[in-house]
Amino acid sequence: MPDSAEVFAPTDRSRVRRSHQRAQYDKDAVFAVVDSTPLCHVGYVIDGQPYVTPTMQWREGERIYWHGSSASRMLRAVKGGIPVCVTVTHFDGMVMARSPFHHSANYRTAMLFGRAHALEDRAAKEASLKIMMDGLFPGRWEELRGNTDQELKATTVVAMEIEDAVAKVRSGPPIDDEEDYATVQCWAGVLPRRAVWGTPEPDPKMDRPHPVPSYLKEIQYE
């Protein structure tokens, strides 16, 4: 078992009750799911109405960040400290069993809970945006022009301390009723699903040819 400092203690909101054996509360497992994709969904409530907004996220330690337009209703709401649930999901394949009931999916997902606040200081905001860029494309930040004052004013960056979190993972073949293995004659197994990057497509408005950056050459393409 991981040391208690290396796990998120289950709470009423994070404890997995269905298929609880698939729950993983250790921080390495949660962070592995979060760090494997920039896409997340932010869940929150405004005036009793629930919303879920897709956006890009990045992590530093036990703090998660996301950003967007300063006019965003979601960002204006969550930066005030309302409870937030951030989810990150990977869909890894369809699990095809010997009965409709046992069909399933392989997946990796994480749910993170906390309250967000806005980064108001310009230096802190830019430092966080650089962490996002470096996490995606190391070295690209230095190639770009800097943000203007107006661009930073138009951008809100929020940070959320992860109060509690859980990962839930399913992998492997179908789990059928024992008698079905011998009596049901059909194909069963897993149809894997993998997300892959496509070949880089240059902007047709580039005024001269530029080589593909080294950080893109290192990416595995389809």
Side-chain angles (χ1 to χ4, degrees):
M1 288 290 292
D3 182 89
S4 60
E6 301 303 319
V7 301
F8 290 104
T11 66
D12 284 344
R13 62 184 177 180
S14 67
R15 188 185 306 278
V16 173
R17 292 168 173 80
R18 293 290 299 167
S19 300
H20 59 85
Q21 72 277 8
R22 297 175 184 162
Q24 300 179 15
Y25 298 96
D26 59 287
K27 295 177 182 179
D28 285 346
V30 172
F31 296 156
V33 174
V34 172
D35 296 344
S36 295
T37 180
L39 181 65
C40 73
H41 290 78
V42 180
Y44 54 99
V45 176
I46 301 176
D47 296 331
Q49 171 63 50
Y51 297 90
V52 178
T53 302
T55 189
M56 291 178 64
Q57 58 80 22
W58 62 100
R59 182 182 65 86
E60 186 179 23
E62 296 187 21
R63 179 179 289 182
I64 190 170
Y65 299 83
W66 62 96
H67 77 303
S69 167
S70 295
S72 162
R73 175 174 60 178
M74 178 267 287
L75 289 169
R76 284 188 281 120
V78 303
K79 73 180 184 181
I82 63 175
V84 171
C85 175
V86 177
T87 61
V88 178
T89 303
H90 302 266
F91 174 40
D92 293 328
M94 294 300 305
V95 179
M96 302 173 68
R98 292 163 179 81
S99 69
F101 180 79
H102 288 301
H103 273 62
S104 187
N106 283 340
Y107 57 84
R108 291 161 290 146
T109 188
M111 299 180 70
L112 303 90
F113 300 90
R115 297 173 184 266
H117 66 275
L119 302 184
E120 304 292 354
D121 178 75
R122 177 187 175 121
K125 185 184 290 189
E126 287 221 276
S128 182
L129 293 172
K130 184 177 185 300
I131 290 171
M132 175 190 67
M133 186 70 71
D134 285 344
L136 295 169
F137 310 113
R140 184 165 180 79
W141 185 269
E142 285 72 22
E143 299 177 349
L144 310 176
R145 70 157 174 82
N147 290 307
T148 66
D149 289 340
Q150 185 57 38
E151 287 169 340
L152 282 178
K153 182 178 180 181
T155 303
T156 294
V157 179
V158 297
M160 186 187 85
E161 297 290 343
I162 303 171
E163 297 173 3
D164 50 327
V166 60
K168 189 176 181 183
V169 176
R170 191 210 188 277
S171 62
I175 303 173
D176 278 301
D177 293 337
E178 194 61 37
E179 60 270 21
D180 288 343
Y181 289 102
T183 60
V184 179
Q185 300 302 312
C186 70
W187 190 91
V190 175
L191 179 63
R193 182 180 183 275
R194 298 182 179 90
V196 297
W197 294 106
T199 303
E201 300 174 357
D203 183 352
K205 290 189 175 182
M206 283 196 298
D207 59 354
R208 63 181 67 88
H210 289 271
V212 175
S214 60
Y215 47 77
L216 291 185
K217 291 180 180 177
E218 296 172 0
I219 294 175
Q220 297 296 313
Y221 300 117
E222 61 184 355

